[in-house]
Amino acid sequence: MDLARDELLLLFDVDGTLTAPRQSITEEMKEFLYQSVLPRATLGVVGGSDLEKMCEQLNGQEFLHKFDYVFPENGLVQYEAGREVGKMSISQQLGEDVLKRFINYCLHYIADLELPIKRGTFVEFRNGMLNVSPIGRNCSTAERQAFYAYDQTHQVRQRMIDRLRAEFAEVDLTYSIGGQISFDVFPTGWDKTFCLRHIAKRPKPFRSVHFFGDKTSPGGNDYEIYSHPDTIGHRVESPDDTRRQLAELLKL
């Protein structure tokens, strides 16, 4: 691909794409991105997590200055050239009464849910979304993996989403399963495609925008941006697969 750096944007999911789920980026991946990919393309990262969790996985704030665009919380918080340039608020969008009723319902539902184990932080409030975890975000890596296997069989997250859709049918919400232990809830339209609105403000449009993600099937939190007409979507299986596809795309 023979485009100039400022004509090509590469957007990446984090979990399962640049890193193993909730793990730190490897030195090999960092070196590949910053030394081989960065000179050839504009880089962006868009994840469901908040900035603090992104920093944990991408080794501190260095990536804020290496990546041209950083979009925590599906792009509802926007960083460009290392500084915050915009932020949306789910509490203002939904109103406190709806938000409180929704959180109360989630906590009651989880309290009655029979699971092999439960830990803590079942509902995490973020600027642009709620993250709901039936097992609790405080679980260990081994417990996270065990829940993911259990959920594959018992569809714990999908069943909870089905109940929430019915209970809050009058509220225009999107439910998106990502990672291993949780799902995101946000106003419809506030999925990862939200970051494209910010990118579209650029004076000189990119000639092509490529997105790399692993949860690209319907219901996954990469699906909307992966299938968006303004992006070229790449489904990946792991960080190693991301490297392979990048090398092929850029002829490295």
Side-chain angles (χ1 to χ4, degrees), residues 107 110 117-124 131-140 143 181:
L107 293 174
I110 292 171
I117 62 169
K118 290 181 184 175
R119 292 300 179 249
T121 310
F122 301 102
V123 179
E124 184 173 85
N131 180 265
V132 181
S133 175
I135 185 180
R137 296 198 61 86
N138 295 346
C139 59
S140 68
E143 291 164 345
I181 61 167

Side-chain angles (χ1 to χ4, degrees), residues 6-73:
D6 64 351
E7 295 180 306
L8 171 64
L9 173 62
L10 303 178
L11 274 175
F12 300 93
D13 168 50
V14 181
D15 266 7
T17 302
L18 294 181
T19 77
R22 290 301 301 142
Q23 301 299 305
S24 296
I25 191 170
T26 65
E27 286 300 318
E28 291 79 9
M29 177 61 92
K30 279 178 59 179
E31 182 178 334
F32 177 72
L33 286 173
Y34 298 158
Q35 295 186 17
S36 300
V37 179
L38 184 59
R40 297 167 179 263
T42 301
L43 299 187
V45 60
V46 52
S49 298
D50 58 25
L51 182 65
E52 181 180 354
K53 289 186 178 62
M54 276 190 169
C55 287
E56 289 173 6
Q57 289 185 258
L58 298 176
N59 285 4
Q61 296 199 355
E62 176 190 20
F63 82 100
L64 265 176
H65 303 281
K66 293 288 190 180
F67 282 80
D68 304 83
Y69 296 103
V70 174
F71 297 118
E73 303 184 39

Side-chain angles (χ1 to χ4, degrees), residues 67-83:
F67 282 80
D68 304 83
Y69 296 103
V70 174
F71 297 118
E73 303 184 39
N74 284 359
L76 299 167
V77 182
Q78 303 110 37
Y79 285 82
E80 189 171 349
R83 66 183 186 90

Side-chain angles (χ1 to χ4, degrees), residues 183-194:
F183 59 90
D184 296 329
V185 186
F186 43 83
T188 297
W190 286 22
D191 51 62
K192 287 184 179 179
T193 61
F194 197 91

Side-chain angles (χ1 to χ4, degrees), residues 1 3 7-13 17 46 193 196 199 206-213 216 222-236 245-246 248-249:
M1 176 167 291
L3 294 178
E7 295 180 306
L8 171 64
L9 173 62
L10 303 178
L11 274 175
F12 300 93
D13 168 50
T17 302
V46 52
T193 61
L196 300 177
I199 292 166
F206 290 103
R207 285 182 58 186
S208 62
V209 177
H210 293 253
F211 172 77
F212 296 78
T216 57
D222 295 326
Y223 172 72
E224 288 85 2
I225 190 168
Y226 167 80
S227 58
H228 195 277
D230 290 346
T231 69
I232 300 168
H234 301 262
R235 178 186 288 110
V236 303
Q245 293 196 38
L246 276 171
E248 185 177 302
L249 176 69

Side-chain angles (χ1 to χ4, degrees), residues 154-190:
H154 298 279
Q155 299 292 299
V156 176
R157 289 182 289 179
Q158 188 58 57
R159 289 175 185 272
M160 185 172 180
I161 287 171
D162 292 343
R163 285 282 298 275
L164 287 167
R165 284 191 205 278
E167 184 70 21
F168 293 89
E170 80 286 358
V171 186
D172 195 13
L173 295 172
T174 293
Y175 302 83
S176 184
I177 294 176
Q180 295 176 303
I181 61 167
S182 64
F183 59 90
D184 296 329
V185 186
F186 43 83
T188 297
W190 286 22

